[in-house]
Amino acid sequence: MVTNHLNNERRGAKMAKVLYEKDGRIGRITLNRPERMNAIDDDLPLELAEAVRQANADEGVHVIVLSGNGDAFCAGYDLTYYAEDPSSDNVTQKDMPWDPMKDYAFMMRNTQNFMTLWRSYRPVICKVHGYAVAGGSDIALSSDLVVMADDAKIGYMPTRVWGCPTTAHWVYRLGAEKAKSLLFTGDKIDGKEAERIGLIHKSVPSDQLDAEVEALAERISTVPVNQLMMQKLMINQAIDAMGLQNTQMIATVFDGITRHSPEGMAFKRRAEETSWKNAVRERDMGTYDWTLDRPINPGG
């Protein structure tokens, strides 16, 4: 097994947030922020794209396995930095009027970095344990095949406030009505349900997840690279012809609007004042009125 910690010389002693290993015919990409449940920061999308590039540059790699270290695959964007910090950052502009194209440029950079998985000439199997939620679901669903643990959770809770899935894979995997049911509610579903409705390839008991993914990767790795590449290009062009790129452009613009709408700014203030965990809890439980910027009175 050959390990590359992605430009350690450039980063010096800085810990790599994405690891890349070549293991025979399998390229292994691992999200590596376990202390933050592999939450997305400014660096992780760039390092992910670099790992995909390295795998694709190696003629000996036939298939990529994408996974996450620690307790989850990816818990979405790092809200300690992006929501709770009172300073302006790449996802919230404090100076008004906000510049939607500045926001779009940053978020589309992330979207395109996640989409290197989709455009990869090597098939990508995503192994999900724990959570693949919010931006983490953007990464997982950009892969070709998603295998989840039965008890793992996937969903895009920020559709309730402060987000729109920029890679927009939900409708292409599920169809309009099922996609609406999940994005109107922001509900999470487990691996079994995700398989049942066709969102993912397969769900297995958590103690069988590694073996299932390894067997699938080994099976795919016996196919010539050119055959795999042709099948992926052929299928992907059908989705692309349905307007995926245009949908992603709209979704990425809308994502910026959600964070700078009155409700989005109220969510940001609430996270700064009470912690992002509390703001997320109120959002997901439906106990806060973001338009009026106050808790919902159950009796009123």
Side-chain angles (χ1 to χ4, degrees), residues 9-227:
E9 297 85 358
R10 177 175 59 84
R11 286 194 304 270
K14 184 178 178 182
M15 178 68 71
K17 297 173 183 178
V18 175
L19 306 177
Y20 175 68
E21 301 174 327
K22 180 183 178 183
D23 183 9
R25 292 184 169 193
I26 301 172
R28 301 186 186 276
I29 298 175
T30 308
L31 307 184
N32 189 44
R33 300 189 73 212
E35 74 287 354
R36 300 294 305 159
M37 297 182 74
N38 298 314
I40 301 162
D41 63 2
D42 288 355
D43 298 326
L44 187 142
L46 297 169
E47 295 190 22
L48 174 63
E50 172 61 15
V52 174
R53 185 199 67 77
Q54 290 192 35
N56 277 263
D58 190 333
E59 294 182 358
V61 171
H62 289 228
V63 61
I64 296 168
V65 172
L66 173 65
S67 61
N69 276 337
D71 295 332
F73 169 71
C74 179
Y77 278 84
D78 189 340
L79 295 188
T80 299
Y81 173 67
Y82 289 122
E84 191 171 299
D85 192 326
S87 61
S88 183
D89 54 49
N90 283 323
V91 302
T92 306
Q93 298 173 35
K94 289 296 185 74
D95 295 330
M96 291 292 156
W98 69 288
D99 183 347
M101 290 299 97
K102 179 180 178 181
D103 186 282
Y104 177 82
F106 172 74
M107 292 307 300
M108 183 53 79
R109 183 204 75 170
N110 285 358
T111 300
Q112 293 303 316
N113 284 328
F114 300 156
M115 284 292 289
T116 59
L117 299 163
W118 173 264
R119 294 190 296 268
S120 166
Y121 291 152
R122 308 300 190 264
V124 180
I125 304 168
C126 182
K127 179 171 63 176
V128 174
H129 72 292
Y131 295 94
V133 292
S137 68
D138 276 325
I139 296 174
L141 297 179
S142 293
S143 305
D144 300 301
L145 299 169
V146 181
V147 181
M148 289 180 64
D150 287 346
D151 59 356
K153 297 293 194 297
I154 189 168
Y156 209 97
M157 305 85 73
T159 57
R160 297 186 62 84
V161 70
W162 223 62
C164 180
T166 64
T167 60
H169 289 296
W170 297 85
V171 65
Y172 296 96
R173 284 178 175 256
L174 290 175
E177 191 163 4
K178 286 187 174 65
K180 287 176 180 178
S181 71
L182 289 172
L183 299 185
F184 287 170
T185 62
D187 288 346
K188 300 185 292 292
I189 57 175
D190 62 22
K192 287 183 177 181
E193 179 67 4
E195 179 186 349
R196 188 190 72 79
I197 65 176
L199 181 65
I200 65 167
H201 167 60
K202 195 168 187 180
S203 179
V204 297
S206 58
D207 61 356
Q208 299 175 26
L209 182 62
D210 289 343
E212 184 71 31
V213 170
E214 290 306 300
L216 181 58
E218 289 291 344
R219 178 65 174 162
I220 293 173
S221 74
T222 63
V223 179
V225 169
N226 56 14
Q227 286 291 124

